[in-house]
Amino acid sequence: MFNGFSNQDKDSKSQKTLERIETLIGENCSITGNISGEGLLQIDGSVEGDINWIDDIIIGPSCKYKGNISCKNASIKGSVEGNISCEDILTIEDTGKVTGDITVKKIIINENGSLDGKCIMGNKKVDYIEE
């Protein structure tokens, strides 16, 4: 799913795996407020607020998200209205739509994926979230 992951050190306890979603916001769930944490996060419901996540995020195809996102890697299959800052890779899947500015190291936009905003690429992480 994320091209930036390495499976070379499978025995390491500290390595996160994509096979295990550690936090899931279900399709019938609606959240208003900011979210922070770590581990693999998948959002299938609707969220309005900022996310400051240490690890990876999956925005599911049924997700309607409004707010800024700061994370390591993100896969967008649903709708995001807000700015995204990824330390490594942002993938906008064929059903994904991002309306907002992005700051990433690498970007992948699949056919029919949509980005309406400006893109800053490089190694510098920009935090859109004020704490």
Side-chain angles (χ1 to χ4, degrees):
M1 181 181 320
F2 294 113
N3 295 333
F5 292 112
S6 170
N7 289 327
Q8 295 172 349
D9 190 16
K10 289 187 177 186
D11 295 332
S12 172
K13 290 182 183 180
S14 64
Q15 181 169 343
K16 307 281 183 193
T17 62
L18 288 175
E19 291 81 36
R20 190 173 115 199
I21 295 170
E22 294 170 309
T23 305
L24 174 66
I25 298 173
E27 192 171 340
N28 297 320
C29 186
S30 178
I31 294 176
T32 301
N34 296 337
I35 301 171
S36 62
E38 60 184 271
L40 181 59
L41 167 65
Q42 179 166 334
I43 303 173
D44 292 326
S46 64
V47 174
E48 188 168 334
D50 294 336
I51 296 179
N52 190 4
W53 208 255
I54 293 173
D55 294 308
D56 306 311
I57 296 177
I58 299 169
I59 302 293
S62 61
C63 179
K64 304 277 190 266
Y65 181 84
K66 288 184 181 183
N68 299 320
I69 298 173
S70 177
C71 62
K72 184 172 182 181
N73 296 290
S75 174
I76 311 297
K77 299 175 185 177
S79 169
V80 174
E81 289 182 37
N83 300 323
I84 301 174
S85 176
C86 290
E87 288 180 34
D88 200 12
I89 301 173
L90 170 65
T91 303
I92 302 175
E93 304 289 351
D94 58 349
T95 57
K97 180 179 180 180
V98 175
T99 304
D101 298 339
I102 61 171
T103 303
V104 297
K105 185 175 179 183
K106 300 175 188 173
I107 185 167
I108 300 168
I109 302 176
N110 290 327
E111 187 175 359
N112 296 322
S114 170
L115 170 62
D116 182 6
K118 68 179 177 182
C119 175
I120 299 170
M121 294 185 70
N123 293 327
K124 187 171 112 176
K125 182 179 179 199
V126 175
D127 283 324
Y128 287 111
I129 301 171
E130 296 178 13
E131 301 209 34

